[in-house]
Amino acid sequence: MKDLRAGPTGFHDVRETNLGVVLRAVRTLAPCSRAAVAAATGLNKTTVSSLVADLIARGLLRETGESAERRVGRPGVMLALDELTIAAIGVEVNVDYLSVVAVDLLERSLITRHIAFDARSAGPDACAHRIVEAVRSVADAPALRHRTLIGLSVAVPGLVDSPRGVVTRAPNLAWRGTPLRSRLEELMEPAGPPPMPVLVDNDANLGAVAEYRGGHLARTGDLVYITGEVGIGAGVLMNGELLRGSAGFAGEIGHVRMVEDGPPCGCGRRGCLEALAGIEAILRAALPDRFPAGALSRADLADLVDSAVQRATAQDPVAVDALHTAGSWLGRGAATLVNLVNPGAVVLGGYFVPLAPWLLPACRPAVRELSFAPDAGGCVVETSELGLSAAAQGGAVAMVDAMESGRLPLPPPQAGSADEGAS
Amino acid sequence: MKDLRAGPTGFHDVRETNLGVVLRAVRTLAPCSRAAVAAATGLNKTTVSSLVADLIARGLLRETGESAERRVGRPGVMLALDELTIAAIGVEVNVDYLSVVAVDLLERSLITRHIAFDARSAGPDACAHRIVEAVRSVADAPALRHRTLIGLSVAVPGLVDSPRGVVTRAPNLAWRGTPLRSRLEELMEPAGPPPMPVLVDNDANLGAVAEYRGGHLARTGDLVYITGEVGIGAGVLMNGELLRGSAGFAGEIGHVRMVEDGPPCGCGRRGCLEALAGIEAILRAALPDRFPAGALSRADLADLVDSAVQRATAQDPVAVDALHTAGSWLGRGAATLVNLVNPGAVVLGGYFVPLAPWLLPACRPAVRELSFAPDAGGCVVETSELGLSAAAQGGAVAMVDAMESGRLPLPPPQAGSADEGAS
């Protein structure tokens, strides 16, 4: 049911698209010859040579010396991704921290920073300043200082209108209609780092990208990543592509009503999954003595999660029971995903990871019990190995990934460009 | 995040794919010249001429005479789809009926038949016999007698392993592991109709295809069709493509648990949406006097739905209240879809259509209230205009649609093929 092919695109678009195709081919095949790239992509050898030259000029490919293969005629020079030239930065804003990750062209982490930060109290403008400060600090670090920054992505826990770069609604940050991308672009303009594309997206979506590209279930095409913070969101990949829906608001598993007249949720409703199994709900139930007046400082979340782990390890019945109950609700939420989108894997992330030894024994049976398809439609429930930086890493990876769709950094100025009139 | 392009495909595959591309172009542009097809597809004119000749030989395209345009040189002969040569047949099996629809290449209905049939009591083998009998009867009807049948699709309410043609589980039919496609192929082999491809798929999936191709919300790319039978299922289209999930079992909204300890469901669990808002549940609540001993003859469903409509029209409080309650549950189910996949439209089908005047006033507010995204993420809730034949029609349309992906009927034998050795 695909629509009619688009009409002929402009020459520039075709070339950018083909640059992305060659980049992707070298990522898959490296080390490889130009001839191997031509064979894999269906592009002719002359075109491939021209595209490769362009990618080398942009610092994205490098020659690795000659092939070890014995062959007749001129030995093939081998190509690989140039992992030394560029970097992409991803930032995650959450209620109690900022995560910052920089990756190279191989999508390997160059820097990972975790910054305790109460984004809700700070408000969106102070948060934008803090993000830019963190990006500048990372850009100046020795591992990045000589690299071209190809893009910045910012992950936010809430509804994001990604094409416009606006946070539509993030109840746990108390943000609504926040034009985050344009504010970041304004703040970055006057001084370095130099202008670069800025992407704003939902944290669960970018967590799912990180899992798909580099998690231990990497390349599971139908994969759901569930954030485990104060909020719960799902990033849903189908055939390796993010399921966004008509307005970009898909994946809001945290606000599916699980029970009538349940506990109040940050969204203003009752009985949402997030109100039953989000980290704040879990901590309130597991550590009732730590919330004397119902107050919770967001900056304490990591410490409180540690306390819950310690108590559960010591078999404190209140903590164990709270985690078991939350695990059952998570299982029912995951079963809803299984029934509706039938993923091959559900990956629990964030603070769910340290709590998984007590969550999973209740979660997994609930998924099997409440899924209509036999054996939960083949879905496994696992925990992430990417820690609290999953969404930041996924964002950085998404910027690298965008190059393979033909959105490449500009080539450096041509050495001969001043001689134009001479010939 | 698409994978590397596949290596070069065989010449035959490329040609079949291009035949499909040309067919799709003519569907979109007709009446149109060969030159217009070349411009729209990017294929060169010689290739288009050869492909058009092939499609004309297969009875899929026809020339419609000369263009009315004034132009220099030879006037362009215009092309259109040949709506007289082929037909595709779709059958829906449900608990109380078979629907049979035949469509032409323009996807217009040639025949629609509704056959009262208790598929559950009959069992799968008798049902397969009844399907083949119905297909033969339709194939012999005057509207189809001189057409080439390009395929048969069968829609089933349950989990379908469509690549294998097996019904994995259909609780309301009491089928499990039923190899329906192979049985139908066996039964069709000995006598006419001649062998044709057989597709078995989920009824909600094919209903969604019918809505997308020919319903009143046609071309809404992110669309969900919800079946309203004894069972409730969802066919989810994202960007116009069916969301199937890793095992093909997506869309089982009817078995999402809505409430703990709710009424028993045909699947063996409790509190599923189907047990609260499926047609049998609605009729039991709306017409309690018609179920003295809890017994329900499946063949009576249509009559009972009529009774419910009559009582609700007469403002019978029991009937009105039952429909209102069911509408609220349907709204909560639709809100779950909105939160997870953010469709642009949810279309209620089947027996929900005649009951919609009482269901929708409760359903729509529940969708808005329980959706996290503002204004339900832009989702509208409407009723189908395709009636009880939606899934059958969608199946027939899917067979026509498959041709545009290059799965074409074989060309007729060449007149000159016996002369091969002569030149």
Side-chain angles (χ1 to χ4, degrees):
Chain A
M1 284 181 287
K2 293 238 172 76
D3 283 334
L4 190 64
R5 271 208 290 172
T9 46
F11 174 73
H12 176 76
D13 291 340
V14 171
R15 189 167 174 88
E16 294 289 305
T17 301
N18 285 341
L19 286 167
V21 167
V22 170
L23 197 61
R24 187 158 72 234
V26 176
R27 180 184 299 282
T28 309
L29 304 170
C32 59
S33 65
R34 286 164 175 80
V37 171
T41 60
L43 296 166
N44 75 48
K45 289 183 190 177
T46 314
T47 305
V48 167
S49 288
S50 161
L51 294 166
V52 164
D54 194 339
L55 291 166
I56 289 173
R58 295 178 197 227
L60 299 174
L61 293 188
R62 61 186 170 85
E63 294 182 334
T64 64
E66 292 177 3
S67 166
E69 300 168 41
R70 284 186 158 277
R71 35 187 297 166
V72 180
R74 179 169 159 267
V77 175
M78 303 304 269
L79 300 168
L81 297 183
D82 186 341
E83 72 273 36
L84 297 175
T85 313
I86 64 104
I89 297 181
V91 173
E92 179 189 353
V93 181
N94 222 303
V95 295
D96 59 323
Y97 64 82
L98 297 180
S99 268
V100 188
V101 172
V103 305
D104 65 14
L105 186 56
L106 294 175
E107 303 181 356
R108 292 181 310 198
S109 177
L110 298 167
I111 290 181
T112 301
R113 289 189 185 167
H114 190 80
I115 303 166
F117 181 70
D118 185 341
R120 183 185 181 115
S121 303
D125 201 64
C127 185
H129 276 95
R130 190 68 189 85
I131 290 169
V132 171
E133 186 188 319
V135 169
R136 285 191 182 136
S137 164
V138 164
D140 285 342
L144 267 78
R145 201 173 292 154
H146 302 293
R147 290 174 183 267
T148 303
L149 297 183
I150 60 151
L152 165 66
S153 86
V154 182
V156 177
L159 300 177
V160 179
D161 180 346
S162 193
R164 292 176 54 233
V166 171
V167 181
T168 303
R169 191 164 179 225
N172 294 315
L173 298 177
W175 292 7
R176 196 184 273 263
T178 303
L180 185 60
R181 185 177 66 203
S182 61
R183 189 69 186 117
L184 290 169
E185 285 169 345
E186 280 166 21
L187 292 174
M188 289 199 298
E189 206 171 333
M196 56 181 157
V198 177
L199 169 80
V200 181
D201 206 338
N202 171 272
D203 60 344
N205 283 351
L206 294 177
V209 170
E211 286 295 337
Y212 180 68
R213 296 288 286 208
H216 66 300
L217 293 168
R219 302 289 159 187
T220 302
D222 300 318
L223 176 149
V224 176
Y225 175 83
I226 297 185
T227 61
E229 319 291 339
V230 172
I232 297 178
V236 181
L237 289 168
M238 290 279 120
N239 291 321
E241 300 281 342
L242 276 172
L243 187 161
R244 291 185 178 276
S246 66
F249 296 158
E252 291 296 338
I253 183 78
H255 299 287
V256 169
R257 177 167 289 180
M258 293 281 119
V259 61
E260 302 294 306
D261 301 320
C265 180
C267 73
R269 294 176 191 79
R270 287 184 165 273
C272 298
L273 178 60
E274 187 168 307
L276 293 157
I279 284 299
E280 191 166 329
I282 288 176
L283 294 173
R284 283 181 192 280
L287 310 168
D289 52 304
R290 298 288 290 272
F291 299 90
L296 174 75
S297 163
R298 305 288 176 135
D300 294 340
L301 279 181
D303 287 346
L304 291 168
V305 170
D306 280 348
S307 296
V309 168
Q310 284 164 23
R311 290 198 194 175
T313 305
Q315 301 190 312
D316 173 69
V318 173
V320 169
D321 189 56
L323 291 169
H324 189 274
T325 302
S328 296
W329 287 117
L330 281 176
R332 185 160 143 199
T336 301
L337 283 161
V338 167
N339 285 325
L340 290 187
V341 302
N342 183 208
V346 169
V347 182
L348 302 179
Y351 291 125
F352 289 148
V353 177
L355 300 172
W358 301 275
L359 295 172
L360 285 179
C363 176
R364 286 176 172 148
V367 174
R368 280 192 298 275
E369 184 195 336
L370 297 174
S371 297
F372 179 52
D375 194 28
C379 181
V380 297
V381 181
E382 300 287 349
T383 50
S384 175
E385 294 180 353
L386 302 174
L388 293 177
S389 61
Q393 183 173 330
V397 164
M399 301 311 291
V400 173
D401 196 57
M403 293 198 292
E404 295 180 5
S405 307
R407 277 168 289 164
L408 287 93
L410 288 176
Q414 298 282 316
S417 61
D419 303 336
E420 262 183 328
S423 65
Chain B
M1 284 182 287
K2 295 237 171 76
D3 283 334
L4 189 63
R5 274 209 286 172
T9 46
F11 174 73
H12 176 76
D13 290 340
V14 171
R15 188 167 176 89
E16 294 289 305
T17 301
N18 285 341
L19 286 168
V21 166
V22 169
L23 196 62
R24 186 159 72 233
V26 176
R27 181 184 298 281
T28 308
L29 304 170
C32 60
S33 64
R34 287 164 174 80
V37 171
T41 60
L43 296 167
N44 75 48
K45 290 181 189 177
T46 314
T47 305
V48 168
S49 288
S50 161
L51 294 166
V52 165
D54 194 338
L55 290 167
I56 290 174
R58 293 176 198 228
L60 300 174
L61 294 187
R62 61 187 171 84
E63 295 182 334
T64 64
E66 290 178 6
S67 166
E69 300 167 42
R70 283 182 159 279
R71 35 187 298 166
V72 179
R74 180 170 159 267
V77 175
M78 303 303 271
L79 299 168
L81 297 183
D82 186 341
E83 71 272 36
L84 298 176
T85 313
I86 65 103
I89 297 181
V91 173
E92 179 190 353
V93 180
N94 221 303
V95 295
D96 59 321
Y97 63 82
L98 297 181
S99 269
V100 187
V101 172
V103 304
D104 66 15
L105 186 56
L106 294 175
E107 302 181 357
R108 293 181 309 198
S109 177
L110 297 168
I111 291 182
T112 301
R113 289 189 183 167
H114 190 80
I115 302 166
F117 181 71
D118 184 340
R120 183 183 178 116
S121 302
D125 201 64
C127 186
H129 275 95
R130 188 70 189 81
I131 291 169
V132 171
E133 185 189 320
V135 169
R136 285 190 181 135
S137 164
V138 164
D140 284 342
L144 266 76
R145 200 173 293 152
H146 302 292
R147 291 173 182 266
T148 304
L149 297 183
I150 61 152
L152 165 67
S153 86
V154 181
V156 178
L159 300 177
V160 178
D161 180 344
S162 192
R164 290 176 55 231
V166 171
V167 180
T168 303
R169 192 163 178 225
N172 294 315
L173 299 177
W175 293 6
R176 194 185 275 263
T178 304
L180 185 60
R181 185 176 67 203
S182 60
R183 188 69 186 116
L184 290 169
E185 285 169 345
E186 279 167 21
L187 292 175
M188 289 198 299
E189 206 171 335
M196 56 181 156
V198 177
L199 169 79
V200 180
D201 206 338
N202 171 273
D203 59 345
N205 283 350
L206 294 177
V209 169
E211 286 295 335
Y212 180 70
R213 297 288 287 209
H216 66 302
L217 294 169
R219 303 288 159 188
T220 301
D222 299 318
L223 175 149
V224 176
Y225 174 83
I226 297 186
T227 60
E229 320 292 339
V230 172
I232 297 178
V236 181
L237 288 168
M238 291 277 122
N239 292 320
E241 298 281 342
L242 277 172
L243 188 162
R244 292 186 178 274
S246 66
F249 296 157
E252 291 296 337
I253 184 76
H255 299 286
V256 170
R257 177 169 288 180
M258 293 280 119
V259 61
E260 301 295 306
D261 302 321
C265 180
C267 74
R269 295 177 190 79
R270 287 184 166 272
C272 298
L273 177 61
E274 189 169 305
L276 293 157
I279 283 300
E280 191 166 329
I282 288 177
L283 294 174
R284 282 181 192 281
L287 310 168
D289 53 303
R290 301 287 291 272
F291 298 91
L296 175 76
S297 163
R298 305 290 175 134
D300 294 340
L301 278 180
D303 286 346
L304 291 167
V305 169
D306 279 348
S307 297
V309 168
Q310 285 166 23
R311 290 198 193 173
T313 304
Q315 302 190 311
D316 172 70
V318 173
V320 169
D321 189 57
L323 291 169
H324 189 275
T325 302
S328 297
W329 287 118
L330 280 175
R332 186 161 144 198
T336 301
L337 282 161
V338 167
N339 285 325
L340 290 186
V341 303
N342 184 206
V346 169
V347 181
L348 302 179
Y351 290 125
F352 289 148
V353 178
L355 300 172
W358 301 275
L359 295 172
L360 284 179
C363 176
R364 286 177 171 148
V367 174
R368 281 193 298 274
E369 184 196 334
L370 296 175
S371 296
F372 179 53
D375 194 29
C379 181
V380 297
V381 180
E382 301 287 348
T383 50
S384 175
E385 295 181 352
L386 301 176
L388 294 177
S389 61
Q393 184 172 331
V397 164
M399 300 311 291
V400 172
D401 196 57
M403 291 199 292
E404 295 181 4
S405 306
R407 275 168 290 164
L408 287 95
L410 288 177
Q414 299 282 315
S417 62
D419 302 337
E420 263 184 326
S423 65

